[in-house]
Amino acid sequence: MSTAHDVLILGGGGAGCSAALHLARRGARVVLFERGLVGSQASGVNYGGVRQNGRHPAELPIARRAREIWARLPELIGTDAEFEVTGHLKLARSAEEEAELAGYMEVARAHDLPLELIGSNRLRERWPWLGPRVVAGAFAPEDGAANPRLLAPALARAARAKGAEINERTPVEQIAHDGADFVVTHGGRTWRAPVALNCMGYWGGTIAARFGEAVPVAPLAPNMLVSEPIPYFIEPNMGVVGGDVYLRQIRRGNVIFGGGRGASDPAVPWARPLPESTLAAMARAVELVPRLAGIHVIRSWTGIDGEMPDGLPVIGPSRTTPGLIHAFGFSGHGFMLGPGIGAILAELVLDGRTDVPLEPFRIDRFALGSAT
Amino acid sequence: MTAMTVAVVGAGPSGTRAVEVLVRAGLRPVWVEEAPATGGRIYQRPPAGTTRSPRDLYGTEGAKAEAIHAAGDRLRAASDWRPGTLAWNIRPGVLDTFRAGRHETVAFDRAILCTGAMERIVPVPGWTLPGVFTLGAAQIALKAQGVAIGSRVAFIGTGPLLWLTATQYLKAGAAVALVLDTTPLRTKARAAAGLLADPATFAKGLALVARLHLAGVRVIEGGTPVALEGTDAVEAVRVRDRRGREHRIACDAVGLGFGLKPESQLADLAGVPFRFEAIERNWVPERDRAGRTPVAGLYLAGDGAGIAGADAAELAGARAAWAVLEDAGAALDAAEIARLDRALARLPRVRAALERAFPYPSALAARTPDATIVCRCEAITAGELRAAARASHVTGGAAEVNRAKAFTRVGMGRCQGRVCGPPAAEILADALGCDVAAVGRLRGQPPVKPIPILAEAAE
Ligand SMILES: Cc1cc2nc3c(=O)[nH]c(=O)nc-3n(C[C@H](O)[C@H](O)[C@H](O)COP(=O)(O)OP(=O)(O)OC[C@H]3O[C@@H](n4cnc5c(N)ncnc54)[C@H](O)[C@@H]3O)c2cc1C
Ligand SMILES: Cc1cc2nc3c(=O)[nH]c(=O)nc-3n(C[C@H](O)[C@H](O)[C@H](O)COP(=O)(O)OP(=O)(O)OC[C@H]3O[C@@H](n4cnc5c(N)ncnc54)[C@H](O)[C@@H]3O)c2cc1C
């Protein structure tokens, strides 16, 4: 049996599910393939940071677009995915780090990102529990955090309600281009469409390679921890210059924090936190918030994202195969972007263009880089 | 061979006998135990200064307890004994441990995990009230602290531990308000033939039951707990007898327990595959009769590898140590190994009979009322779990336990599903209309038990 669609979506993480939703809302006939369950890889196990603060300037236009959609989630997907606007506080622990925060103020202004630079004294007035090593902070009031376990499944449910075909436990193993259409076959079924979206996260690299444009994507496994619940006092989502620790507290009281890397084998796929990273993250978290000393960690975990050498994702059309569009390799910060990625991909597919500048995300930038 | 480092986790009957064999072979194993002393669960030692005799503390098992304690005392000096040490993670060749405020890694060439068992519960309405304890906690209060959990205690559940604990309370002079076994007498009678393969244990069991009857204790077999009631603490239990008549019985404490499950998180983290053991109704790690797992260099013994009881744990611990020696090419005592193998071969039959005699009341767990909390750490009710299951026909439904956890937070708290895992799986399977094995088991992650946040990273 063969079914004709407008778009095949490969991968059901945040990127793929949001693409399915935005395309289906505009009437496109889409089918999504997910090897496991939707949102069960990076999109379902991440730290949950919804952060624009400190993003690479190239990513800010996507982040601004995504942030606007985060605010509208309830009307789009029937849940806010526990998105809470707590603000994001990026901290400096030295004069050099403080200078970096100050330098970023210019970037924020250029992208209309509300951001406030706060000196040591005022920082302590507002958040008296901060540790002595903290010397300055940049506070982005629009940022916050959400529950990653809820977002991708809710996007997929909403997409299905708009007519998208969502196939879980359906790995893309055979995909071909017959000159006109992409053809996916699995379990005796065949799907075809003139457009295919590569939203396979780390594994997006295999699709790129399959169509003759291999990229240097590596597995990235951020090491995560969660504590037992303690009385709520840490309101902002917090990070540091350099990113070696980040932490937030949910209203139930648990402190979620991360830093360093775990171990992974994306071929299985398998990922496991590393005790060295776990203990180092604990020490750094106590440095930021001394009050955390002595509370208990009840679980650690990690997941697999695709990391590009320059820390930016690959987004945009294939240079080898018309109709193939990539969106993968979010390098550890694509949860926040997910809702916007779908909107941008829908524009690329249905309008042939988007207002968001995608030049920095070209798939052939690595080849170009090595040539010059 | 003398350079080989063997790590043994756990100092219960199985860990003690494993270390004994290794030490006799000239090795100096690293011996890691969370508790301050050897003895393990069943032979847990009272705090220093207790004057009660082993017979008092351990009943008919007094002599065995003494033997295990004596062996433990002897072996401490002959091994790298690390009491008060939690092994919170395992990876190839390394245990991550926490001891006396410090994180330390322990390198090993081979490891024997002897981590024991914990109790299974059924979330009877009211089970989270103050005054409700597991049977094991009730027993430890008596054994280790010499105090009872209440002055009028109701015991509810199933399994040998139910009858044993009730008898121990009776002996200690507490008033036993009720013994309710969810298993009907006829189920137990049907299993009697199998149990007779171990006549000594069978006789001990009969003696317990007789003793309770003789003392005039109210005993209900094949009954159903309806609710544990009270405002600030438990004040009464509401139960139905076999004929469906309801009774309300006053009490000031409840001991609750429905059999055991292996404490197998370390085996899970080590990558040992698990299979669903239908009779035991537990997920158990795979190993051969000698305790070898499919993971090279990793061995399992005792109740942590599947429930078999204290005597079996001693045999299995010794046998696993011999397997380590055998695999390392050491000298073997063939006659001793053959003796252990013969004794171990008799076990499954008795064990199966015991499980059939006291099955986990899965239907009772599956019927947990909507409003009752299943996951105590996160306050998740049975109704919330069922709602997650109902969504399963659409994308993003909870067709297995990890998905249910992702959506509802069941098993996400301090105990990481060690307590609520089994009943949550029963509720989910029932709501989905599938076999409990089909909903899977919760994925484990380190730490196997909570560890404190320290200001300094380990060396
Ligand atoms: C531990 C951790 C913490 C993080 N913290 C944050 C954070 O705080 N904030 C933030 O913005 N970002 C964070 N990130 C990054 C973010 O999670 C990812 O960038 C984002 O989720 C990537 O989404 P995706 O859809 O590209 O990939 P994924 O979610 O990985 O989705 C790709 C999907 O493709 C599927 N797939 C793979 N192969 C096949 C195949 N052959 N056929 C069909 N399907 C296939 C996979 O099963 C997977 O579901 C974190 C990531 C991790 C791992
Ligand atoms: C409450 C309770 C009561 C029981 N009563 C009886 C009874 O009356 N009769 C009977 O035959 N059986 C009883 N059992 C079953 C009991 O498990 C076995 O009889 C026997 O104790 C099994 O011996 P073992 O060596 O396998 O485990 P255990 O005796 O349980 O010893 C395991 C040891 O490993 C340690 N340990 C576990 N994990 C770690 C870790 N990660 N790091 C460091 N140390 C660790 C524990 O502290 C413990 O001391 C009971 C079990 C429980 C839970």
Side-chain angles (χ1 to χ4, degrees), chain A residues 37-38 149 153 156-157 160 166 228 252 257 272-273 275-276 279 282-283 286 292-300, chain B residues 89 91 96 103 269 378 395-396 403 405-407 409 412-414 416 443 445-447 450-453 455 458:
Chain A
L37 300 174
V38 293
R149 300 184 301 277
R157 262 195 297 274
R160 177 175 278 187
I166 309 282
E228 64 190 330
R252 306 176 75 97
F257 61 114
R272 185 53 59 74
E276 287 74 15
L279 298 176
M282 286 180 178
V286 171
L292 296 179
I295 71 167
H296 286 83
V297 164
I298 60 176
R299 190 176 178 89
S300 61
Chain B
N89 186 38
R91 36 190 168 147
D96 295 287
H103 287 284
L269 293 184
E378 294 289 330
T395 301
R403 200 64 164 171
K405 171 179 164 177
F407 291 158
R409 307 186 64 87
M412 244 186 214
R414 208 183 151 86
Q416 289 289 299
R443 264 190 303 275
Q445 291 286 3
I451 52 171
I453 294 182

Side-chain angles (χ1 to χ4, degrees), chain B residues 3-220:
Chain B
M4 173 170 72
T5 304
V6 183
V8 177
V9 180
S14 59
T16 304
R17 293 304 180 203
V19 168
E20 184 171 50
V21 170
L22 296 171
V23 165
R24 245 191 245 136
L27 294 173
R28 188 178 166 79
V30 186
W31 197 8
V32 175
E33 166 59 57
E34 192 186 356
T38 67
R41 244 343 146 94
I42 171 168
Y43 307 135
Q44 177 165 344
R45 301 195 200 205
T50 306
T51 51
R52 284 178 302 160
S53 73
R55 173 87 208 172
D56 254 17
L57 285 164
Y58 309 104
T60 54
E61 311 305 290
K64 288 180 196 160
E66 271 186 301
I68 285 291
H69 293 168
D73 291 342
R74 234 175 27 243
L75 294 166
R76 282 195 316 239
S79 63
D80 179 354
W81 164 240
R82 301 183 182 212
T85 305
L86 172 70
W88 60 268
N89 186 38
I90 187 168
R91 36 190 168 147
V94 179
L95 284 172
D96 295 287
T97 71
F98 181 71
R99 173 192 193 180
R102 286 169 58 84
H103 287 284
E104 276 176 304
T105 53
V106 172
F108 64 81
D109 300 306
R110 295 172 196 270
I112 311 178
L113 305 180
C114 305
T115 47
M118 70 176 281
E119 264 172 292
R120 268 184 311 194
I121 59 110
V122 168
V124 178
W127 73 286
T128 53
L129 276 173
V132 181
F133 297 81
T134 60
L135 293 170
Q139 222 184 21
I140 283 163
L142 211 56
K143 266 189 215 172
Q145 285 111 42
V147 295
I149 57 170
S151 58
R152 251 185 87 71
V153 187
F155 292 96
I156 296 177
T158 194
L161 196 57
L162 173 76
W163 297 91
L164 181 66
T165 311
T167 322
Q168 286 166 339
Y169 265 67
L170 197 64
K171 228 172 106 191
V176 176
L178 168 75
V179 176
L180 181 142
D181 188 338
T182 51
T183 311
L185 189 58
R186 75 185 124 74
T187 307
K188 282 170 266 191
R190 247 187 268 130
L195 289 172
L196 278 168
D198 180 3
T201 304
F202 187 63
K204 273 182 240 165
L206 287 182
L208 293 180
V209 178
R211 195 177 172 135
L212 285 161
H213 278 290
L214 269 178
V217 169
R218 181 154 190 181
V219 172
I220 299 178

Side-chain angles (χ1 to χ4, degrees), chain A:
Chain A
M1 194 188 91
S2 166
T3 328
H5 285 85
D6 297 323
V7 186
L8 308 182
I9 300 176
L10 321 177
C17 293
S18 104
L21 174 62
H22 287 282
L23 284 163
R25 283 175 65 89
R26 291 184 59 183
R29 291 171 302 168
V30 300
V31 53
L32 180 147
F33 306 95
E34 165 55 45
R35 181 177 55 192
L37 300 174
V38 293
S40 55
Q41 294 295 329
S43 298
V45 302
N46 62 67
Y47 166 73
V50 181
R51 171 186 61 82
Q52 304 165 87
N53 193 4
R55 283 219 177 236
H56 192 288
E59 266 187 15
L60 272 176
I62 308 177
R64 299 299 288 146
R65 183 74 188 276
R67 178 61 183 79
E68 181 266 324
I69 297 172
W70 275 100
R72 292 194 292 119
L73 282 184
E75 77 190 63
L76 281 172
I77 61 174
T79 171
D80 63 1
E82 295 174 15
F83 174 45
E84 191 181 348
V85 184
T86 60
H88 179 272
L89 181 59
K90 185 168 178 178
L91 298 167
R93 295 165 294 186
S94 68
E96 299 83 73
E97 291 187 358
E98 183 172 2
E100 192 175 321
L101 291 184
Y104 193 79
M105 295 304 290
E106 203 46 54
V107 176
R109 259 190 298 279
H111 291 90
D112 287 327
L113 173 71
L115 189 64
E116 188 189 347
L117 191 63
I118 307 178
S120 178
N121 290 344
R122 271 223 304 121
L123 207 54
R124 283 181 174 74
E125 274 164 34
R126 271 173 88 169
W127 299 290
W129 35 260
L130 282 172
R133 261 202 69 191
V134 175
V135 297
F139 185 70
E142 282 186 2
D143 285 349
N147 183 340
R149 300 184 301 277
L150 304 182
L151 181 65
L155 287 166
R157 262 195 297 274
R160 177 175 278 187
K162 292 285 175 198
E165 178 183 331
I166 309 282
N167 295 308
E168 295 185 301
R169 303 190 205 276
T170 311
V172 175
E173 284 150 351
Q174 290 173 10
I175 179 163
H177 192 252
D178 67 5
D181 282 343
F182 292 90
V183 184
V184 166
T185 32
H186 177 81
R189 290 185 66 187
T190 301
W191 295 263
R192 51 173 61 241
V195 175
L197 305 183
N198 174 13
C199 299
M200 268 175 27
Y202 164 78
W203 301 271
T206 61
I207 296 292
R210 160 77 184 77
F211 290 99
E213 43 191 350
V215 289
V217 59
L220 168 68
N223 204 79
M224 304 294 315
L225 295 83
V226 61
S227 80
E228 64 190 330
I230 57 171
Y232 184 73
F233 71 103
I234 303 173
E235 195 176 313
N237 176 3
M238 301 200 299
V240 295
V241 176
D244 62 15
V245 64
Y246 35 96
L247 69 92
R248 65 189 183 95
Q249 189 177 18
I250 60 171
R251 296 251 171 209
R252 306 176 75 97
N254 310 73
V255 179
I256 299 166
F257 61 114
R261 296 187 174 193
S264 69
D265 180 354
V268 177
W270 169 96
R272 185 53 59 74
L274 278 176
E276 287 74 15
S277 300
T278 292
L279 298 176
M282 286 180 178
R284 293 198 179 106
V286 171
E287 205 171 77
L288 290 193
V289 186
R291 248 208 248 171
L292 296 179
I295 71 167
H296 286 83
V297 164
I298 60 176
R299 190 176 178 89
S300 61
W301 77 95
T302 182
I304 301 172
D305 198 3
E307 181 175 45
M308 307 310 299
D310 56 5
L312 294 177
V314 172
I315 308 172
S318 159
R319 302 289 151 173
T320 62
T321 316
L324 176 62
I325 303 176
H326 301 288
F328 69 92
F330 286 93
S331 306
H333 32 84
F335 172 62
M336 187 279 161
L337 302 180
I341 294 297
I344 291 167
L345 291 175
E347 287 165 4
L348 284 181
V349 172
L350 300 175
D351 309 331
R353 59 172 305 281
T354 176
D355 286 340
V356 176
L358 294 179
E359 189 59 24
F361 311 111
R362 292 165 56 110
I363 188 161
D364 54 0
R365 66 186 191 270
F366 307 102
L368 291 175
S370 61
T372 48

